[in-house]
Amino acid sequence: MKRERRHELKENALAEFLGKWITRLAPYSQRIAIVVLAIVIIYLAWGIWSRWAAAREQGAWEALYSAMESGTAADYEAVAEQFPQTKAGYWSRLLAADTRLQIACNTIMTNKPDAAQELRKALDHYLALRNVSVSPFFEQRVLWGLARTYEALAATKEGQGELDRAINLYQELVDRFPDGP
């Protein structure tokens, strides 16, 4: 029995299989090592980048929440400039536009030139967000704000003829989001 066991151990199939493959792959060992090293480096770089991006996004949201405490357009604009091309930065720009629009609507009957200036700032923000796709709700908010801004601009001297744009944007909003809020 011991003799058979020794013979079995001597002719291990797995050892033979591995030995053949090691012999076949030996000429390519340097290339294989380079590929494995490259994969490890790419994986590590991706991990570092994803952690950095998540931390940046988190910082952007914290800055936005901080800006919401004051609720001024300038604070929202500062967050949007500090964190461009982040979701929080886009939302911050949208809130800045909404705030500018609200200020303009509150002063349009008493001070049309100042209201028109605020409307132009709001319009610039909305137009910058026109092709940004954060979520369907975000897109609805941008279209609605843009339409409201053109509608308010129509009440000013420099905004004559903007009412047609507002109507078209309201129609686009209804067509694209028939079940929207």
Side-chain angles (χ1 to χ4, degrees), residues 97 99-108 111-127 145-146 148-156 158-159:
T99 304
R100 296 274 184 204
L101 176 60
Q102 181 181 12
I103 292 167
C105 289
N106 289 339
T107 60
I108 200 161
N111 191 345
K112 287 191 187 227
D114 286 349
Q117 184 179 11
E118 289 294 325
L119 287 169
R120 288 290 172 202
K121 290 177 183 177
L123 186 63
D124 290 342
H125 288 308
Y126 286 126
L127 290 174
L146 196 54
R148 288 177 53 216
T149 303
Y150 279 124
E151 181 181 2
L153 265 173
T156 66
E158 64 182 64

Side-chain angles (χ1 to χ4, degrees), residues 14-48:
L14 179 60
E16 285 182 28
F17 177 77
L18 289 175
K20 285 180 186 177
W21 275 103
I22 288 172
T23 306
R24 285 184 185 171
L25 294 177
Y28 308 107
S29 63
Q30 187 177 13
R31 291 180 186 157
I32 291 171
I34 290 171
V35 168
V36 168
L37 184 63
I39 290 171
V40 168
I41 289 172
I42 290 170
Y43 177 74
L44 290 174
W46 176 80
I48 291 168

Side-chain angles (χ1 to χ4, degrees), residues 77-139:
E77 290 165 348
V79 173
E81 288 175 21
Q82 186 178 359
F83 299 100
Q85 299 180 355
T86 63
K87 288 182 181 181
Y90 294 137
W91 277 103
S92 198
R93 184 174 292 276
L94 179 61
L95 290 173
D98 289 346
T99 304
R100 296 274 184 204
L101 176 60
Q102 181 181 12
I103 292 167
C105 289
N106 289 339
T107 60
I108 200 161
M109 294 305 205
T110 58
N111 191 345
K112 287 191 187 227
D114 286 349
Q117 184 179 11
E118 289 294 325
L119 287 169
R120 288 290 172 202
K121 290 177 183 177
L123 186 63
D124 290 342
H125 288 308
Y126 286 126
L127 290 174
L129 296 170
R130 181 81 161 100
N131 296 320
V132 173
S133 180
V134 172
S135 68
F137 180 70
F138 182 86
E139 292 176 43

Side-chain angles (χ1 to χ4, degrees), residues 51-89:
R51 284 189 189 113
W52 173 82
R56 178 171 163 75
E57 189 72 37
Q58 180 64 33
W61 284 110
E62 289 173 4
L64 175 57
Y65 295 144
S66 178
M68 289 174 111
E69 290 178 10
S70 68
T72 65
D75 288 344
Y76 293 134
E77 290 165 348
V79 173
E81 288 175 21
Q82 186 178 359
F83 299 100
Q85 299 180 355
T86 63
K87 288 182 181 181

